[in-house]
């Protein structure tokens, strides 16, 4: 089963006013001409959100578990199943399901897309940790040799697209194709792959913090953005809702990537700025069931006030 | 631009009667209870087919050329374009377009699928040649380091799915999703990836020739089968036509994979058997425009009579 990065965190957070220099493409920057008020994430909301996220994660796990039985050829499917569940869970898959529900859809419509998002992430994770000659890589235990891990990663991505293509029963074909484009982009050369390319260049230079933000946006932000937008598409959300949830996912995913780096005051400042932008995107959903739960995805203990 | 494995070959071939032991899954074996007649491939047909295949290949190249401009981020897209065109062309992509036309469709409907088939092949080819520590691999020149070639291969597959998803204008969404399933399976753990896994096990053993046949079916046969079926799906072919073209592609692709090995009399016997099965699948299309051209895909000089 999947290991988890805990989805939600704790306490009440006071977010200070920050300047609207997001480091994100200008078209993605919200209009911040009006004075922004500090936004608060209530501890009670964060606590209440836990069962919601856990229930979704459990359903996605069950879906993946049924989708990847060890079958012929076992030499291929056994490592495929292992690497799928060995990859640490991100919040992206659960965000996909939650976004579907937020816009009024049934969560079953987003389950295959949520699984595909995890599979794309799991494949990237396997290749990120592959022992190669010229890539600095994180340490990891390897159950299989590099050739098996390479080929298994290669097999996981098409399997994700196959799962998604087959989900045409609960979801409409044109919506699935739109989701396919979202996942292709986020999991491909303009998303995760760009982040993995650029990550090697992170060194102590002048542009360091903006560059780290860029890499986190590519490696983590865009897969969360695509997941949230995909859920909204499959749930029948309006184009406006889809865009807002895409933006929220981008900010929230980038924040979650940055928080793993623990990079000191400069990184904390970027995190505060992005968290505030993320919460602003949620304002359009005010009054909708579960919307407050989304804020728990950008909560972080070290930035909490008293 | 792509380098080519010449699609069609020469001369007149006499195919001897062969026993119906195809080495393929039993459900795929045609009913061979009636005596089979030797089938002939006319030299004139083979010669006439050349401009047809060249024209299709040229159109696919143009489509790929426009689809993968070197754009931001250049560090990602430049190697992606390079590895896409560096992979030797198989007949699979052209077969996709030809199958679409054979069932009465417009070739433009199959162009994105043909490109996606080539991209899936190009990604597998890049990873097959990747310098890793525990994989015996063919020799190849490397313009980039292994990390770039790894990540570029990872980026190529989602790009293929994105291209296909975007082709909903000329083609119908439910047909595209069906094609997506075909390409996912052929390019994934039950197709090319299984072939690459098993290829390492090819040694001089009792089951050697059947095993080589299995590997060629997985590495080459299934991508040709999926390409032919995808073209038929997009061209609006009947389920019967789609199945026949899938079978034809499987036999033809396996033959083409085996012919690259030049394995002596035993391999030649398997080739003859599969070629005969391939030509039998074409009988259902008798009288249709271009059907004879398909036979050139299984022609091979060393097996020619006279």
């Amino acid at each position: 089963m999947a290991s988890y990065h805990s989805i939600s965190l704790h306490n009440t957070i006071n977010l200070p006013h920050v300047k609207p220099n997001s480091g994100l493409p200008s078209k993605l920057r919200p209009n911040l001409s009006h004075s922004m008020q500090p936004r608060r994430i209530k501890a009670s909301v964060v606590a209440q959100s836990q069962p919601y996220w856990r229930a979704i994660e459990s359903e996605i796990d069950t879906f993946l578990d049924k989708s990847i039985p060890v079958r012929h050829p076992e030499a291929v499917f056994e490592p495929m199943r292992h690497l799928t569940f060995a990859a640490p869970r991100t919040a992206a898959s659960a965000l996909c399901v939650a976004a579907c529900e937020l816009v009024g859809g049934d969560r079953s419509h987003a389950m295959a897309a949520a699984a595909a998002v995890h599979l794309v992430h799991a494949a990237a994770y396997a290749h990120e940790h592959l022992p190669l000659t010229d890539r600095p890589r994180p340490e990891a235990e390897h159950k299989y040799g590099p050739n098996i891990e390479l080929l298994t990663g290669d097999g996981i991505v098409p399997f994700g697209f196959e799962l998604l293509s087959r989900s045409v029963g609960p979801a409409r074909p044109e919506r699935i194709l739109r989701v396919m484009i979202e996942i292709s982009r986020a999991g491909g050369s303009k998303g995760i792959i760009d982040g993995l390319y650029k990550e090697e260049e992170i060194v102590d230079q002048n542009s360091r913090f903006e560059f780290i933000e860029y890499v986190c946006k590519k490696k983590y932000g865009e897969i969360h953005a695509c997941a949230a937008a995909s859920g909204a598409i499959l749930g029948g959300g309006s184009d406006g809702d889809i865009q807002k949830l895409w933006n929220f996912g981008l900010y929230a995913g980038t924040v979650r990537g940055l928080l793993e780096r623990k990079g000191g005051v400069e990184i904390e400042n970027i995190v505060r700025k992005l968290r505030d932008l993320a919460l602003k995107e949620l304002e359009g959903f005010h009054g909708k069931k579960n919307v407050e739960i989304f804020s728990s995805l950008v909560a972080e203990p070290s930035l909490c006030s008293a």
Side-chain angles (χ1 to χ4, degrees), chain A:
Chain A
M1 286 291 136
S3 55
Y4 293 92
H5 291 171
S6 172
I7 274 187
S8 51
L9 294 149
H10 325 288
N11 279 329
T12 300
I13 301 170
N14 280 317
L15 292 163
H17 176 72
V18 287
K19 287 197 176 176
N21 171 19
S22 73
L24 295 162
S26 57
K27 68 168 186 159
L28 298 177
R29 285 181 205 148
N31 181 348
L32 298 177
S33 55
H34 300 293
S35 172
M36 286 168 60
Q37 296 301 313
R39 291 179 177 77
R40 297 169 63 89
I41 301 172
K42 291 180 193 161
S44 59
V45 168
V46 173
Q48 284 161 18
S49 74
Q50 299 277 0
Y52 179 77
W53 293 120
R54 279 203 204 107
I56 291 179
E57 286 169 340
S58 169
E59 276 194 51
I60 298 170
D61 253 14
T62 304
F63 186 90
L64 281 166
D65 188 41
K66 284 184 186 165
S67 304
I68 320 179
V70 175
R71 60 183 188 274
H72 178 79
E74 286 79 7
V76 178
F77 280 101
E78 202 280 320
M80 188 159 141
R81 190 178 157 87
H82 173 80
L83 290 178
T84 297
F85 288 111
R89 175 72 65 95
T90 68
S93 297
L95 182 56
C96 177
V97 176
C100 178
E101 289 197 322
L102 184 67
V103 300
D106 187 280
R107 69 169 62 174
S108 66
H109 291 198
M111 208 48 73
V117 163
H118 178 70
L119 289 166
V120 163
H121 155 71
Y125 185 85
H127 283 186
E128 185 184 357
H129 292 76
L130 206 60
L132 280 172
T133 50
D134 69 340
R135 180 178 170 80
R137 59 190 185 278
E139 280 191 26
E141 282 191 28
H142 294 278
K143 185 173 174 187
Y144 304 97
N147 183 45
I148 298 294
E149 293 198 357
L150 167 71
L151 294 176
T152 303
D154 287 348
I156 286 175
V157 171
F159 181 71
F161 284 109
E162 186 184 344
L163 266 189
L164 188 54
S165 303
R166 286 187 188 282
S167 68
V168 74
R172 294 189 203 162
E174 62 277 10
R175 288 183 183 169
I176 295 180
L177 285 176
R178 202 169 159 190
V179 166
M180 202 83 74
I181 294 171
E182 290 289 339
I183 297 181
S184 300
R185 291 176 68 92
S189 300
K190 291 196 139 195
I192 291 177
I193 305 297
D194 188 22
L196 289 168
Y197 261 83
K198 297 282 171 34
E199 193 170 38
E200 285 189 80
E201 296 168 30
I202 292 182
V203 288
D204 191 10
Q205 53 186 329
N206 287 340
S207 63
R208 191 171 157 236
F209 300 111
E210 278 189 7
F211 193 69
I212 291 173
E213 181 183 346
Y214 178 86
V215 167
C216 285
K217 178 164 77 81
K218 291 292 171 182
K219 266 190 78 178
Y220 306 100
E222 298 211 0
I223 193 78
H224 286 76
C226 117
S230 296
I233 290 165
L234 293 166
S238 68
D239 282 349
D241 286 351
I242 293 165
Q243 183 64 55
K244 283 191 201 96
L245 284 165
W246 194 92
N247 294 348
F248 172 80
L250 186 69
Y251 299 135
T254 308
V255 162
R256 297 179 73 84
L258 286 166
L259 289 176
E260 285 188 13
R261 295 196 162 259
K262 303 282 177 208
V265 175
E266 293 88 347
I267 296 291
E268 280 188 11
N269 284 339
I270 297 173
V271 164
R272 285 170 196 269
K273 173 191 73 182
L274 295 178
R275 174 182 290 131
D276 217 38
L277 291 168
L279 295 175
K280 191 170 165 60
E281 295 294 339
L282 294 181
E283 288 175 1
F285 299 97
H286 184 68
K288 290 215 174 174
K289 190 184 165 193
N290 292 333
V291 66
E292 283 199 315
I293 284 177
F294 279 65
S295 62
S296 64
L297 294 183
V298 287
E300 207 271 336
S302 70
L303 298 175
C304 291
S305 66

